[in-house]
Amino acid sequence: MGPYVRYQLVRKPVTPEVPIVSAAARTAAIQLIARKTPLVLDQAQRQPLPAMFGAQVFGVEQMRSRLPETAWRALVSCMEHATELDAGLADQVANAMKEWAVERGATHFTHWFQPMTGSTAEKHDSFCSLENGRLLMEFSGKQLIKGEPDASSFPSGGLRATFEARGYTAWDPTSPAFIRETPSGATLCVPTAFCSWTGEALDEKTPLLRSAEALSREAVRLLRILGDQKVQFVYPTLGCEQEYFLIDRDFWLLRPDLVATGRTLFGAKPPKGQELEDHYFGSIAPRVLAFMQECENELWRLGVPVKTRHNEVAPSQYELAPIFERSTIAVDHNMLCMEVLKQTAQKHGFHCLLHEKPFAGINGSGKHNNWSMATDTGENLLEPGRSPAQNMRFIVMLAAVMRAVDTHADLLRTTIAHAGNDHRLGANEAPPAIISIYLGEQLSEIVESLVLGTKAGDRKRESMRLGVSVLPSLPRDATDRNRTSPFAFTGNKFEFRAVGSSQATGKPNTVLNTIIAESLAFLSDAIDKQKGGKGLEAAVSEVVAEVFKKHQRILFNGNGYSAEWHAEAERRGLPNFRNAVDAIGNFGTSKAVALFERFGVLTAKETESRMNIMFEAYCKAIAIEGQSALSIARTMVLPAAQKSQGAVAQSVGAAKAVGIEVKAQERRLRDMSARIETLVLCIDDLQSAFDHAEGHGGSPGEHAKTYRDKVVPAVSRLREVVDALETMVADDLWPLPKYREMLFLQ
Ligand code: ADP
Ligand code: MG
């Protein structure tokens, strides 16, 4: 066996041999779960972390050792300057990559890309080629650099008609190729960008790369003005904390709503939820730990630097976080994380739920998007200064972030707008839909004092003079721990906390990079203009004070969940886009179009297409929920409820027949029958809401509004009665696994 056969499973996962849906299946699932044990590796098959890390990545070291010196240098230059590889060099790189991959058991390669579906896409080709009937393992430079998947079935938001469906994928050499392995084989994955034949970006990666370039350009320009001659480029950094739920796969199989929509459309509140707060950071159950360990092993092999794991607040909720990286790579790595979580879960007899709100009444899942900017000289631009010059630089960068987030709060809100996140944002657990910045008390005071200016005789304020003295050191712990803020400064980075757990992080980071680039450009222009007369230090102080003053309204350190904040935010004029449909339209404003065009991130057409796709995705998500709710209510809940009602009626009738008084039981029966009547009415009501939305024409935005206003409330009304029935219908007749089971039995 080759080196790529790493391990074998010690035990095959239990497969249920029960009918897929029936009340008996629920009990059978519980019995199966009771017999499950952790799926662990044999001692002999374990490997030390250093041996695993990056083992499946064709990274810089592998390229260097497998390419001739001249080719290696040429490739590095292409990567640094984002220029195209010439054909000869491409062939050399492709060949080296193929040899490396084949040694590791790869039989196929694929261009791996991120179409606007929120997930990744791949189409595999084998290395197999025939020459005079003889097998050759082929992978040419051309195949490495460019692919031509049929683009017609990917969302394009109107960018191209199906008759001109061709699109192409182009190698992104800044993100290393890697091998994805299954027990039966391996595939070389080449990260690529995906464009239409007319050059429009059909993916999330291309705009991200463009935005990172814009950010670098503008940051370097500003740093030069501040006197830095060394920095050549700046890159955004990103660390995504990923939250998820893990439930037993045997329960998942019995919940058509989870299978179709990723969330439970029905489910009565369990007797115990998260109120005991006993899950957060609790000891990790053995079966779950075994799953986490296998995920981590796999992610390390793929070069993803996963670092922390722990139990989250809700029962059966967990988190995994990597060490931050260059954001263009971290975005790819987060896609891999989600994929590995899902696949590994299945192997361990679990199902991993990445939805923002799989269960009503307990916390949902988010993805904290930790963002900063780093220089090629190894400095973090959001690290508060230790010297007067760093101090000034930090304050200028802070001003850029504040200005950007205030000016474009609407766009930032759009990047997290989708049906799933509507259940989270604004509920009492996730940051509100209102975008604000948390700086912590100390930093807020500094901002305040810079706005007010230094007053003679006031030592405390004197010490804040830019370019002269250092900032008071900010203890890391003092800057965080306001979990209610959507955008919090946490010592040396900002944490955009409103991103949804299931989301691809390309879009939020594209917008973050772009709005910051714009503010960096604004600051450069302003400081440059002022500098002539009064010198750098005074110019910076003046510009920064002006920016802080104008954008101070975006700062909020208090409780973001409170009603007072909603009123206060309104007074301050901060936008509050309460739901996805309200927010998505922000991509259609002339302000948005001009911003993305100016920085070469998206053309007007590309921006519009993204808005359309978000609207369409919303409609589809709600339509699937509507359909799914209807079918479960009609074919599972109603029959169970009627059966239960029949049994009660029979029992009451029998008692009465022999002259026993059963008034209280009759009341129960009447109550139950009334609920069942309501159930049927709610089903009809949802059906007509759904038909109305389906048949409703208009723009994608109008279509989405109909789904929001008609279908969403009808699903909620249906849920209410179904959940009430769950508490009345005989337990042995109820077909859907209950919250108390899914959340607590593993
Ligand atoms: P917490 O938010 O729980 O305090 P940490 O401070 O350890 O946790 O960081 C959370 C995430 O932020 C991690 O993924 C970490 O790598 C990332 N992070 C730390 N520094 C930076 C940075 N400069 N840029 C981007 N992400 C960062
Ligand atoms: Mg965090």
Side-chain angles (χ1 to χ4, degrees), residues 239 241 319 321 368-370 480-481 483 490 493 495 497:
E241 298 164 64
E319 181 183 300
H368 293 176
N369 190 101
N370 294 271
D480 187 17
R481 309 312 158 207
R483 294 278 147 190
T490 50
K493 63 186 189 286
E495 196 167 321
R497 295 195 177 122

Side-chain angles (χ1 to χ4, degrees), residues 422-724:
D422 272 2
H423 298 282
R424 238 182 110 237
L425 301 180
N428 245 11
E429 53 166 283
I434 307 164
I435 302 285
S436 66
I437 296 181
Y438 171 86
L439 283 189
E441 236 170 78
Q442 262 178 306
L443 207 47
S444 301
E445 262 175 33
I446 291 169
V447 168
E448 181 85 12
S449 75
L450 286 165
V451 170
L452 295 175
T454 49
K455 282 186 191 156
D458 185 337
R459 270 245 196 89
K460 198 168 151 221
R461 297 238 160 94
E462 196 92 48
S463 71
M464 313 287 174
R465 275 182 56 203
L466 285 179
V468 177
S469 45
V470 294
L471 286 171
S473 65
L474 302 168
R476 205 50 62 84
D477 285 346
T479 59
D480 187 17
R481 309 312 158 207
N482 182 337
R483 294 278 147 190
T484 70
S485 176
F487 205 88
F489 183 69
T490 50
N492 58 0
K493 63 186 189 286
F494 276 95
E495 196 167 321
F496 187 17
R497 295 195 177 122
V499 180
S501 48
S502 72
Q503 262 190 277
T505 50
K507 199 174 281 116
N509 286 286
T510 299
V511 169
L512 253 178
N513 296 343
T514 313
I515 64 177
I516 307 269
E518 191 215 27
S519 278
L520 294 170
F522 172 88
L523 288 165
S524 290
D525 292 344
I527 296 171
D528 228 8
K529 214 165 91 194
Q530 302 261 356
K531 187 169 78 175
K534 25 177 113 74
L536 180 67
E537 192 199 311
V540 171
S541 293
E542 203 159 296
V543 170
V544 162
E546 193 88 350
V547 167
F548 282 155
K549 193 169 168 187
K550 183 156 178 216
H551 300 287
Q552 221 174 357
R553 63 170 191 167
I554 195 76
L555 298 185
F556 178 65
N557 291 333
N559 178 6
Y561 299 165
S562 68
E564 293 84 56
W565 168 233
H566 283 243
E568 166 68 16
E570 203 174 319
R571 268 196 298 281
R572 293 189 193 181
L574 297 179
N576 182 2
F577 299 99
R578 288 181 171 74
N579 53 67
V581 179
D582 283 350
I584 292 169
N586 298 335
F587 256 41
T589 63
S590 51
K591 184 188 87 153
V593 170
L595 170 80
F596 293 128
E597 277 199 317
R598 176 176 166 203
F599 291 92
V601 173
L602 294 169
T603 63
K605 258 169 88 181
E606 286 170 337
T607 306
E608 191 196 348
S609 75
R610 274 145 186 85
M611 179 180 74
N612 288 340
I613 289 172
M614 282 188 270
F615 277 134
E616 281 161 16
Y618 181 89
C619 294
K620 284 175 194 161
I622 302 300
I624 294 170
E625 289 191 355
Q627 290 277 49
S628 192
L630 273 176
S631 112
I632 294 171
R634 275 200 192 113
T635 65
M636 297 172 78
V637 175
L638 181 59
Q642 284 168 330
K643 208 164 171 185
S644 203
Q645 172 186 240
V648 178
Q650 213 166 24
S651 156
V652 167
K656 282 170 76 171
V658 292
I660 303 173
E661 234 187 59
V662 285
K663 286 248 161 48
Q665 292 179 58
E666 273 183 81
R667 261 202 315 277
R668 293 293 293 153
L669 179 59
R670 260 197 298 277
D671 191 17
M672 193 170 185
S673 298
R675 299 270 183 188
I676 297 174
E677 279 294 298
T678 311
L679 173 68
V680 176
L681 292 174
C682 284
I683 289 172
D684 294 346
D685 172 46
L686 174 55
Q687 181 68 59
S688 55
F690 183 77
D691 291 343
H692 175 78
E694 282 291 274
H696 196 278
S699 66
E702 283 159 17
H703 207 186
K705 270 192 195 121
T706 321
Y707 274 105
R708 179 196 63 190
D709 298 339
K710 300 281 177 212
V711 180
V712 171
V715 172
S716 296
R717 285 192 295 270
L718 179 57
R719 174 174 195 144
E720 211 173 297
V721 61
V722 170
D723 290 359

Side-chain angles (χ1 to χ4, degrees), residues 237-239 241 322-324 370-372 380 481 492-493 495:
T237 52
L238 170 65
E241 298 164 64
I323 297 170
F324 71 94
N370 294 271
W371 182 95
S372 187
N380 176 354
R481 309 312 158 207
N492 58 0
K493 63 186 189 286
E495 196 167 321

Side-chain angles (χ1 to χ4, degrees), residues 214-276:
L215 181 82
S216 178
R217 206 166 48 236
E218 297 305 336
V220 171
R221 184 176 154 225
L222 181 54
L223 291 175
R224 287 279 180 282
I225 292 172
L226 296 181
D228 185 321
Q229 301 304 326
K230 284 203 297 271
V231 169
Q232 294 298 316
F233 62 86
V234 167
Y235 52 89
T237 52
L238 170 65
C240 299
E241 298 164 64
Q242 177 72 52
E243 292 179 339
Y244 60 93
F245 277 85
L246 214 52
I247 62 163
D248 198 279
R249 188 172 152 76
D250 288 319
F251 286 138
W252 178 77
L253 288 167
L254 298 176
R255 295 283 317 213
D257 48 356
L258 280 179
V259 172
T261 72
R263 76 181 185 99
T264 52
L265 298 170
F266 306 117
K269 194 180 170 314
K272 172 182 189 273
Q274 65 189 42
E275 48 280 272
L276 297 181

Side-chain angles (χ1 to χ4, degrees), residues 316-335:
S316 286
Q317 191 188 29
Y318 308 92
E319 181 183 300
L320 164 152
I323 297 170
F324 71 94
E325 300 175 275
R326 192 179 282 229
S327 83
T328 47
I329 293 175
V331 164
D332 285 2
H333 280 172
N334 182 249
M335 300 305 281

Side-chain angles (χ1 to χ4, degrees), residues 6-10 39-47:
R6 297 192 314 264
Y7 53 79
Q8 288 170 315
L9 295 181
V10 177
L39 183 60
V40 293
L41 282 187
D42 246 357
Q43 192 70 38
Q45 287 155 333
R46 293 185 199 161
Q47 284 187 335

